[in-house]
């Protein structure tokens, strides 16, 4: 099994598939590489796709200290690139993964060819907070409580495998302490001041019906990051990248194609 060693010695599990320019897919809060199972093969037809388990999840180590942070998760992602010998990559993160991507672009600009920030926020200090009931469901670590916030009921009814995926996550939970540390890391994110200095080409993409990370955050991010592009997925909820996979992949790949890594 492939593992990378983080700067503090933690072992991080990763997988690669496909060939071409590297594309790192970064999961959200308490997520592991399986969060991309529904779409990663489509990207692997064009890119060398890299997926991994955050510390605290999946097959990666699950330390109880020090506290996790989105900036620390970005360092972990760089450790995986180093293990693979990849000097420069695209980075596409959803939800907390988009917060991690912000730090990748800020702290490691030379390693990142372009960023895709999906369904994410600049942090609570300057962003728009989610409703209290949705926040409680997210903090609970029970993905089945979030189904209606992730995809539309009509789509969920036509795709029972999505419900099965949520149930699988519930049946194979990460340790409670790790789930809480992920939640605190995501909620504590604040890159607002540094976002104005970000020079990496950036696409902000968001669903118009997202209540996990409120839709208004997309415009805040795109307005804060110099020259960022903004795309809204009509009727998309928090997992718009799965419900509207074809549209999302088209928009993302078109953006990446306009920013070749060897330019």
């Amino acid at each position: 099994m492939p593992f990378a060693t983080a700067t503090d010695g933690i072992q991080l599990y990763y997988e690669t598939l496909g060939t071409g320019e590297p594309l790192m897919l970064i999961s959200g809060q308490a997520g592991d590489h399986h969060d991309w199972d529904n779409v990663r093969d489509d990207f692997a037809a064009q890119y060398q796709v890299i997926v991994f388990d955050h510390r605290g999840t999946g097959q990666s180590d699950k330390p109880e200290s020090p506290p996790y942070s989105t900036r620390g998760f970005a360092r972990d992602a760089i450790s995986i690139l180093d293990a693979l010998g990849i000097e420069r990559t695209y980075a596409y993160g959803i939800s907390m993964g988009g917060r991690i991507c912000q730090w990748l672009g800020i702290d490691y600009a030379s390693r990142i060819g372009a960023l895709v920030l999906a369904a994410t926020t600049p942090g609570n200090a300057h962003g728009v907070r989610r409703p209290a009931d949705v926040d409680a469901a997210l903090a609970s670590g029970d993905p089945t409580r979030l189904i209606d916030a992730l995809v539309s009921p009509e789509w969920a009814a036509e795709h029972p495998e999505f419900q099965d995926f949520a149930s699988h996550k519930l049946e194979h939970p990460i340790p409670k302490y790790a789930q809480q540390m992920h939640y605190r890391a995501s909620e504590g994110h604040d890159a607002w001041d540094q976002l104005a200095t970000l020079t990496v080409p950036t696409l902000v993409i968001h669903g118009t019906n997202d209540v996990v990370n409120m839709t208004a955050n997309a415009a805040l991010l795109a307005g804060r990051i110099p020259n960022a592009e903004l795309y809204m997925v009509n009727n998309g909820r928090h997992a718009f990248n799965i419900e509207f996979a074809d549209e999302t992949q088209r928009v993302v790949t078109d953006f990446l194609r306009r920013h070749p890594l060897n330019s």
Side-chain angles (χ1 to χ4, degrees):
M1 291 184 180
F3 287 88
T5 303
T7 55
D8 59 355
I10 295 301
Q11 295 296 291
L12 302 165
Y13 178 80
Y14 67 89
E15 294 181 1
T16 64
L17 64 159
T19 59
E21 293 183 315
L23 169 62
M24 177 171 268
L25 303 178
I26 304 179
S27 301
Q29 179 185 313
D32 61 28
H33 73 279
H34 288 298
D35 289 1
W36 295 96
D37 284 356
N38 290 289
V39 299
R40 70 179 194 171
D41 286 349
D42 294 333
F43 284 105
Q46 303 179 60
Y47 302 98
Q48 179 191 10
V49 169
I50 306 151
V51 292
F52 63 98
D53 297 343
H54 291 302
R55 64 174 60 207
T57 76
Q59 299 178 63
S60 291
D61 288 347
K62 302 170 180 63
E64 298 186 46
S65 63
Y68 301 170
S69 69
T70 51
R71 204 167 200 168
F73 287 136
R75 285 195 298 272
D76 287 347
I78 292 296
S79 293
I80 292 169
L81 294 180
D82 288 345
L84 288 165
I86 294 174
E87 290 298 321
R88 204 156 182 254
T89 186
Y90 298 122
Y92 171 11
I94 189 161
S95 198
M96 189 184 76
R99 298 181 181 96
I100 295 166
C101 280
Q102 293 167 38
W103 288 120
L104 285 173
I106 293 164
D107 291 340
Y108 307 98
S110 65
R111 306 292 297 273
I112 307 298
L115 291 172
V116 179
L117 309 182
T120 193
T121 83
N124 289 333
H126 299 276
V128 179
R129 290 176 176 265
R130 66 181 67 91
D133 61 325
V134 179
D135 193 54
L138 184 66
S140 74
D142 181 353
T144 62
R145 290 178 58 182
L146 285 169
I147 292 294
D148 286 347
L150 296 177
V151 296
S152 67
E154 298 79 12
W155 189 88
E158 295 173 0
H159 297 82
E161 69 278 6
F162 188 79
Q163 177 71 50
D164 292 342
F165 175 68
S167 297
H168 176 81
K169 290 177 75 70
L170 184 61
E171 293 166 3
H172 300 84
I174 66 173
K176 186 65 176 178
Y177 71 83
Q179 191 277 326
Q180 292 172 343
M181 291 172 76
H182 268 255
Y183 176 78
R184 288 194 292 269
S186 187
E187 291 300 288
H189 173 78
D190 183 7
W192 184 259
D193 290 343
Q194 294 91 337
L195 287 175
T197 69
L198 209 160
T199 59
V200 175
T202 301
L203 169 67
V204 177
I205 184 168
H206 215 110
T208 61
N209 295 351
D210 191 350
V211 294
V212 175
N213 284 326
M214 301 298 287
T215 299
N217 287 292
L220 290 174
L221 276 172
R224 186 66 173 171
I225 299 170
N227 303 310
E229 298 182 26
L230 175 63
Y231 185 90
M232 304 303 298
V233 178
N234 193 38
N235 295 319
R237 302 191 184 196
H238 194 57
F240 68 82
N241 66 314
I242 296 176
E243 182 171 0
F244 298 92
D246 291 344
E247 177 182 359
T248 303
Q249 185 191 18
R250 173 180 56 79
V251 172
V252 169
T253 56
D254 175 70
F255 171 74
L256 298 181
R257 194 175 296 117
R258 288 186 279 111
H259 298 284
L261 293 180
N262 58 4
S263 63

